Amino acid sequence: MARVLACLLAAAAIVMTTSASAPQHAQRPLAQKPPMGWSSWNAFGCAIDEKLIREMADAMVTSGMAAAGYEYVNVDDCWMAPERAADGRLQADPVRFPSGMAALADYVHANGLKLGIYSSAGTKTCQGLPASLDHEEIDAVTFAEWGVDLLKYDNCFNQGRPAVERFKAMGDALEASGRDIVYSICEWGDAQPWTWGRDARGHYWRTSGDIVDGWGSVVAILTQQAGLSRYSGPGGWNDPDMLQVGNGGMLTTEYRAHMSMWALLNAPLIAGNDLRSMDSTTRDILTNPEVIAVDQDWAGVGGERISDVGDLQIWAKPMSQGGAAVVLFNGGPAGAEMATSAGDLDLPDADEYDVRDVWAHTTAVTTGTVSAWVPPHGATMLVVSPR
Ligand code: GLA
C-alpha cells in the first residue's frame, strides 16, 4: 500500500513538473488522419469573395460533405488586399471580403467547420499579392487572432532563398502563435519537402506541381508518388494536390480513378469543385464512405506501387482491419484485364478472401487471385480481407 502511494505521489510530481515547464499554449497533435476539406482554387481561382466562401460552407453541410468527413473550408490565393495595413498586418481585400477574415472564421465555425487561409513563403503570392516571407511572426499571430485553423503556404517569389529555412520560419511562427493551425506546405516537391516537412512543422506537403483538370495530369502526378510512401503518416502526409473531381474536364470513370488513388495514398482530400451545384454523380464520388475509410485508415504503411507495366499500375496498402486496399489503375486508352494476388498484397495465408469492390459495393470470394477488367482511363478499387 505504502509503495503504491509512493508511486502515485511520484507520478503526480512528474505531472506537475511537466505541466509547469510546458509552454502555456501547448498544441494538440494535428492531422493524425489526412485532413479533408474544400479549397477555392481549382474551381474559382481569384474569382472569390466572402459570399462565395459562406455559400460553400453552407453547401458543405447541406450536400452531405461535412457528414462524410470534410471539415476545412480553405480560401486560397487572392483573399488579401494589395497592400499591408499601416500597422504592417495583412488585411482582407476590402471589396471582396468587406467583413474581414475574423468574421468569415466565425461564420465557418458556426457551421461546425474550420477555416483555412493562404499565403506564400515569398515576397508575393503567386498572384502578386502581399505574402509572408520575413513577416512570419506577425502574419501567424494575425491568422491566429482571426481564428484561422489551417494555412496553405505557397512557394512563389521566394527570392531563391533555401526552402527549408523559409518554410520552417512559418512553421515555428504558427506553433508560437498558440493556436492549433494545420500547416500545409505548398513547395511543389521541388526541394523534396517529404524529407524535411515534419521538421518544418508541416502537416502535409505537396509532392508535385499543380494538378489540372485532365487525365494526363492525374497520371503524371500519380507516377511521381512512387517510392514516397515511407515519408507519409500520422501528423505529416504527402500531398499530391487538391481534387479536381466534378470540375468537368474528366469523365466519371477518370474522376473515380483519381479519387481512388488519392484515397489509397492517404492524401489530404481537399475537394476543388463547386459544392453548391454538384450533381449526384460527383457527390457520390466525393462522399463514398468506403473510399474515404481507406484514405483515413492508417495501418503503418502508406499506399505504394507494387506493379508497373506500360499503362497499367497496381497500388496497395495494408488496412488496420487485417486486409489490404488495392487499386488496379489503367492509365491507357484500352480496357485491360488486371490481376494481383493475396500473396502480392502481403496478406496472411487463408483458404478464402473477401474481395470488396468499394465502388460497386459488392463482395466476391477468391482463393487468392484478385483480378478485374479495368476500363480505359479507369480504376478498380478493392479491399481484400482473409475470411
Ligand atoms: C500555386 C499553388 C496552387 C495555388 C496557386 C494560387 O500555383 O501551387 O495550388 O495555390 O498558386 O495562386
Side-chain angles (χ1 to χ4, degrees):
M1 184 63 186
R3 199 190 278 171
V4 172
L5 196 60
C7 282
L8 284 174
L9 286 172
I14 290 169
V15 169
M16 285 168 68
T17 317
T18 312
S19 54
S21 60
Q24 289 197 324
H25 47 68
Q27 284 136 319
R28 288 180 291 120
L30 298 174
Q32 294 303 293
K33 296 180 174 182
M36 296 173 63
W38 173 88
S39 161
S40 55
W41 184 254
N42 283 351
F44 298 98
C46 278
I48 56 172
D49 59 23
E50 62 185 34
K51 178 168 175 288
L52 177 93
I53 304 300
R54 287 177 184 204
E55 288 176 2
M56 219 57 72
D58 294 345
M60 193 179 267
V61 175
T62 56
S63 66
M65 291 281 285
Y70 293 84
E71 186 179 21
Y72 290 91
V73 176
N74 295 347
V75 186
D76 207 280
D77 206 343
C78 301
W79 64 266
M80 57 277 273
E83 303 292 341
R84 286 179 178 266
D87 62 1
R89 294 190 181 225
L90 288 174
Q91 53 187 346
D93 184 288
V95 176
R96 290 185 289 106
F97 291 86
S99 310
M101 302 318 271
L104 190 60
D106 287 346
Y107 188 92
V108 169
H109 293 158
N111 266 316
L113 303 170
K114 296 194 155 101
L115 181 71
I117 210 169
Y118 165 100
S119 186
S120 181
T123 51
K124 292 187 241 177
T125 75
C126 295
Q127 303 304 314
L129 292 161
S132 299
L133 187 64
D134 298 327
H135 299 266
E136 293 86 359
E137 285 176 22
I138 182 71
D139 290 355
V141 166
T142 303
F143 300 151
E145 285 176 5
W146 287 344
V148 165
D149 306 293
L150 180 150
L151 174 68
K152 173 177 168 181
Y153 202 44
D154 214 332
N155 196 30
C156 282
F157 296 100
N158 61 41
Q159 307 299 303
R161 285 163 52 179
V164 186
E165 280 172 36
R166 288 180 294 111
F167 283 91
K168 187 163 190 314
M170 181 53 90
D172 288 345
L174 290 173
E175 171 131 326
S177 80
R179 187 172 169 85
D180 289 331
I181 298 179
V182 168
Y183 182 30
S184 153
I185 292 178
C186 179
E187 192 268 350
W188 317 319
D190 287 1
Q192 303 195 320
W194 46 90
T195 62
W196 49 263
R198 277 180 194 267
D199 289 341
R201 305 187 190 280
H203 297 105
Y204 57 100
W205 40 81
R206 283 270 296 276
T207 52
S208 70
D210 288 9
I211 191 169
V212 297
D213 189 15
W215 182 245
S217 177
V218 167
V219 175
I221 290 176
L222 174 60
T223 303
Q224 284 178 270
Q225 309 310 307
L228 300 187
S229 63
R230 67 179 183 277
Y231 300 102
S232 199
W237 306 96
N238 291 332
D239 172 17
D241 205 359
M242 304 173 288
L243 297 167
Q244 288 285 5
V245 176
N247 279 334
M250 287 186 253
L251 302 170
T252 298
T253 45
E254 295 174 327
Y255 282 137
R256 264 193 214 117
H258 170 28
M259 183 77 185
S260 300
M261 274 313 312
W262 266 232
L264 195 91
L265 292 166
N266 296 109
L269 295 179
I270 309 296
N273 59 316
D274 189 341
L275 304 179
R276 301 167 303 179
S277 57
M278 66 179 158
D279 60 19
S280 59
T281 304
T282 298
R283 192 184 56 230
D284 289 350
I285 294 172
L286 289 170
T287 61
N288 182 320
E290 296 186 63
V291 176
I292 290 173
V294 172
D295 179 79
Q296 298 287 294
D297 186 275
W298 182 253
V301 186
E304 192 50 83
R305 192 162 66 186
I306 59 170
S307 165
D308 179 26
V309 181
D311 291 327
L312 309 178
Q313 305 185 30
I314 302 178
W315 290 72
K317 70 165 206 141
M319 292 287 288
S320 51
Q321 41 77 314
V326 57
V327 175
L328 309 172
F329 184 91
N330 179 1
E337 186 71 21
M338 296 182 68
T340 183
S341 68
D344 286 345
L345 298 174
D346 281 335
L347 289 171
D349 280 342
D351 291 340
E352 291 183 322
Y353 301 84
D354 281 333
V355 181
R356 177 74 177 170
D357 184 320
V358 297
W359 290 112
H361 304 298
T362 55
T363 305
V365 176
T366 176
T367 55
T369 300
V370 176
S371 64
W373 183 87
V374 185
H377 292 196
T380 297
M381 185 172 193
L382 308 165
V383 175
V384 186
S385 314
R387 299 197 94 194

